Amino acid sequence: MSELPLGEIERRINALSSLPAGAELPSDARGVVTTLLDALEAGRVRSAEKDQSSGVWRAVPWVKQGILLGFRVGGIIDMSINDGTNDVGLAFFDKDTYPPRRLTLQDGIRIVPGGSSIRRGAYVAAGVVCMPPMYINVGAHVGAGTMIDSHALVGSCAQVGERVHLSAAAQLGGVLEPINASPVVIEDDVVIGGNCGIYEGTLVRRRAVIGAGVVLTRGTPVYDLEKECVHRAEFGKPLEIPENAVVVPGARAAKSNWAREQGLSLQTPVIVKYRDEKTDAATALESWLR
């Protein structure tokens, strides 16, 4: 099965996924899923791709369909870190198609001891640093030189570029369904501050800086003080943070008379400037730490 060309894997996944719920799957279904997960881990395929001419990111539906197929063919097994005969250790029960990835020293990924996990079907490039505890879910793609800090999450199918710093407790939302929905995308050289939340297919362009505590969703308006405009998601397009933008938490006044009387305001991300030499110095990543 591992020798099948990608076009044939796509064809088989589409055929298997079209079978009605409850239908008995052919004997090769598990092998098709295994081949797809191997290809994802090797970086041969991705759950979302960038059109190099337009810069538009789009989901790859058949890949996401194959990941969902993996849940369908898998059975729940005991993955506990003990023999199951006592209460010592940690108990885990999950689909046998999606265990934690088995890594070796040759993978070149630095995983600091302390409870981190990378799920089967995630691509993590050599040179990535994983600080404990953090989690990278199935279908995610993490580029070389990126640091995933403590308590950070890279959700299912999220795309993270090279030399990104995902700070402590930052969350990148995942999306498997609907299969056409684009996942969160973080391009190269982005810095994401602690306790940030980036969800619902938000696209952060290269070299942007997302300040600590910023939350970005499809429904979030982002006010740009530099260009005096508002960035919003549009029909068929995600919220997009421009290249080099520096985004911090802000607030805007609530409009109703009662809200004004109470002095209420709404949390709103604000682009305060675009990257300059001062920003670069403040956000420089220490290569020797990697």
Side-chain angles (χ1 to χ4, degrees), residues 2-21:
S2 61
E3 300 301 319
L4 284 178
L6 293 179
E8 178 62 15
I9 300 172
E10 178 181 358
R11 187 191 70 80
R12 292 294 296 128
I13 286 173
N14 287 333
L16 290 165
S17 299
S18 68
L19 297 175

Side-chain angles (χ1 to χ4, degrees), residues 38-57:
D38 288 342
L40 281 165
E41 291 178 6
R44 293 175 57 216
V45 296
R46 297 175 68 160
S47 56
E49 294 179 339
K50 182 180 181 180
D51 184 302
Q52 296 303 321
S53 60
S54 66
V56 174
W57 283 86

Side-chain angles (χ1 to χ4, degrees), residues 76-88:
I76 297 177
I77 62 170
D78 189 343
M79 298 182 184
S80 303
I81 308 177
N82 57 53
D83 60 8
T85 60
N86 55 55
D87 294 329
V88 178

Side-chain angles (χ1 to χ4, degrees), residues 22-287:
E24 184 176 353
L25 294 173
S27 58
D28 71 334
R30 181 178 288 269
V32 171
V33 170
T34 296
T35 304
L36 171 64
L37 297 179
D38 288 342
L40 281 165
E41 291 178 6
R44 293 175 57 216
V45 296
R46 297 175 68 160
S47 56
E49 294 179 339
K50 182 180 181 180
D51 184 302
Q52 296 303 321
S53 60
S54 66
V56 174
W57 283 86
R58 295 186 178 90
V60 182
W62 73 266
V63 173
K64 295 175 71 177
Q65 197 75 271
I67 293 172
L68 291 171
L69 180 65
F71 288 100
R72 185 174 173 183
V73 303
I76 297 177
I77 62 170
D78 189 343
M79 298 182 184
S80 303
I81 308 177
N82 57 53
D83 60 8
T85 60
N86 55 55
D87 294 329
V88 178
L90 299 173
F92 302 103
F93 308 94
D94 198 5
K95 293 295 184 87
D96 61 352
T97 41
Y98 291 112
R101 273 193 59 182
R102 296 183 180 275
L103 300 171
T104 69
L105 188 61
Q106 285 65 44
D107 289 305
I109 303 168
R110 181 179 163 200
I111 303 179
V112 178
S116 296
S117 186
I118 300 171
R119 203 175 196 183
R120 178 86 161 97
Y123 172 82
V124 183
V128 170
V129 180
C130 301
M131 299 300 292
M134 63 94 234
Y135 189 71
I136 301 174
N137 210 343
V138 59
H141 186 105
V142 181
T146 287
M147 175 176 281
I148 312 297
D149 217 332
S150 301
H151 299 280
L153 167 69
V154 179
S156 54
C157 299
Q159 306 292 297
V160 182
E162 297 182 354
R163 299 173 301 279
V164 171
H165 189 110
L166 188 62
S167 299
Q171 308 281 298
L172 304 183
V175 58
L176 279 173
E177 299 177 285
I179 60 170
N180 290 316
S182 294
V184 169
V185 176
I186 310 297
E187 294 190 338
D188 296 347
D189 299 297
V190 168
V191 177
I192 299 174
N195 288 297
C196 285
I198 302 179
Y199 308 109
E200 298 174 349
T202 296
L203 167 58
V204 181
R205 292 292 188 184
R206 63 183 299 274
R207 288 178 46 80
V209 177
I210 311 299
V214 169
V215 176
L216 301 172
T217 71
R218 181 168 181 79
T220 305
V222 178
Y223 288 76
D224 192 328
L225 299 182
E226 184 84 9
K227 296 182 178 180
E228 296 186 347
C229 64
V230 182
H231 302 275
R232 302 177 186 269
E234 301 176 4
F235 180 76
K237 295 181 179 180
L239 173 65
E240 181 174 329
I241 302 302
E243 183 174 323
N244 289 309
V246 178
V247 187
V248 301
R252 60 190 174 98
K255 292 183 178 180
S256 71
N257 291 333
W258 187 85
R260 284 196 295 269
E261 290 172 2
Q262 305 305 313
L264 299 179
S265 60
L266 304 175
Q267 181 177 348
T268 304
V270 175
I271 296 176
V272 290
K273 67 174 187 177
Y274 285 75
R275 285 183 73 153
D276 51 25
E277 291 182 1
K278 185 177 179 180
T279 309
D280 290 341
T283 59
L285 303 181
E286 296 290 351
S287 59

